[in-house]
Amino acid sequence: MKKLFALFIIALLTISLAACGSSEENAGGESKDGNKKLVVGASAVPHAEVLEEAKPLLAEKGIDLEIKVFTDYVLPNVTLKDKELDANYFQTPGYLALQMEENKDFDFVSVGEIHQEPIGIYSKKFDSLEDLPEGAKIIMSDSFSDHGRILPIFEKAGVIKLKEGVGANARVEDIVENPKNLDFTTLIEAKLLASSFESGEGDAVAINTNYALEGGLNIKEDGIAFEGSDVVPANLVVVRSEDKDREEIKTLVEVLKSKEIQDFIQEKYQGAVISVQ
């Protein structure tokens, strides 16, 4: 009898654990109040802040939004692939394309362009790129998709020349003229760029706007050059291809592109983040 009772308890525990595992692995579903639930991964600034502003607007439409904040650019896509997220909101088309090229099990699609974040060049020592001295050390992100955005800033300032036609695919090896011998060899994780700048490392640091904001930089005072608004790629809401037509996903994008959210972005970020109309 005792043996039968023990087997019964083990069976109950097995069922219980299997149910818990299923709930943790999959996002979405319904909340306790009957609303649809969306789990979205995002960088802390500005993405998670924008999503927080969107929460009450989504609740009015019967969607409870859960935000998971990430401090890097790798895990949000891994977690989306593993179905722990319904969507993520942090990346540009170039980064998405590179990630899908390097990870054949990523079957993702963009469902909306929400905002732009011009990459900036920051310096504590110099007021312009033209002022950079011979051999100046430039610190950049180790994400090569950013290099095609950063190097044209230097070319526009006339301090380097890139191979004709490389455009957004530019890499350091595509520099054909570099009269000041600027050093572009120091590459670090994007999330460490702001702290490198604050520590006075290098002569200039190229920083993604979300990390500049997160690091408390004064973008207007500390920045010495920026991408032109005509070439800045949009930040995307990305989902698994199978989910692109879900009504909750469509509603999320509609809310993020609404006038209420556009006004919030304009007022809070004062041009450092630009809504995509």
Side-chain angles (χ1 to χ4, degrees), residues 133-193:
E134 174 80 17
K137 179 181 177 181
I138 315 300
I139 300 176
M140 300 193 299
S141 160
D142 61 3
S143 175
F144 290 105
S145 62
D146 285 340
H147 296 184
R149 300 175 60 188
I150 295 165
L151 295 173
I153 302 174
F154 287 83
E155 183 176 48
K156 187 176 180 181
V159 293
I160 65 169
K161 186 175 180 181
L162 295 167
K163 190 185 300 180
E164 190 172 348
V166 292
N169 296 314
R171 300 290 183 265
V172 171
E173 53 267 29
D174 294 318
I175 299 174
V176 292
E177 292 182 23
N178 185 5
K180 292 187 177 185
N181 293 311
L182 302 180
D183 180 357
F184 293 97
T185 59
T186 303
L187 309 180
I188 65 174
E189 282 187 78
K191 65 183 179 182
L192 301 176
L193 291 165

Side-chain angles (χ1 to χ4, degrees), residues 87-157:
N88 64 42
Y89 170 37
F90 77 100
Q91 61 194 318
T92 60
Y95 184 75
L96 174 61
L98 188 62
Q99 283 280 290
M100 290 181 65
E101 182 181 326
E102 293 176 351
N103 300 274
K104 299 304 181 186
D105 55 345
F106 286 1
D107 183 17
F108 302 154
V109 63
S110 165
V111 290
E113 299 182 343
I114 308 304
H115 73 263
Q116 298 169 303
E117 299 174 17
I119 285 182
I121 314 299
Y122 297 79
S123 178
K124 288 182 176 290
K125 305 171 184 176
F126 305 101
D127 295 326
S128 71
L129 296 183
E130 293 87 342
D131 292 339
L132 291 172
E134 174 80 17
K137 179 181 177 181
I138 315 300
I139 300 176
M140 300 193 299
S141 160
D142 61 3
S143 175
F144 290 105
S145 62
D146 285 340
H147 296 184
R149 300 175 60 188
I150 295 165
L151 295 173
I153 302 174
F154 287 83
E155 183 176 48
K156 187 176 180 181

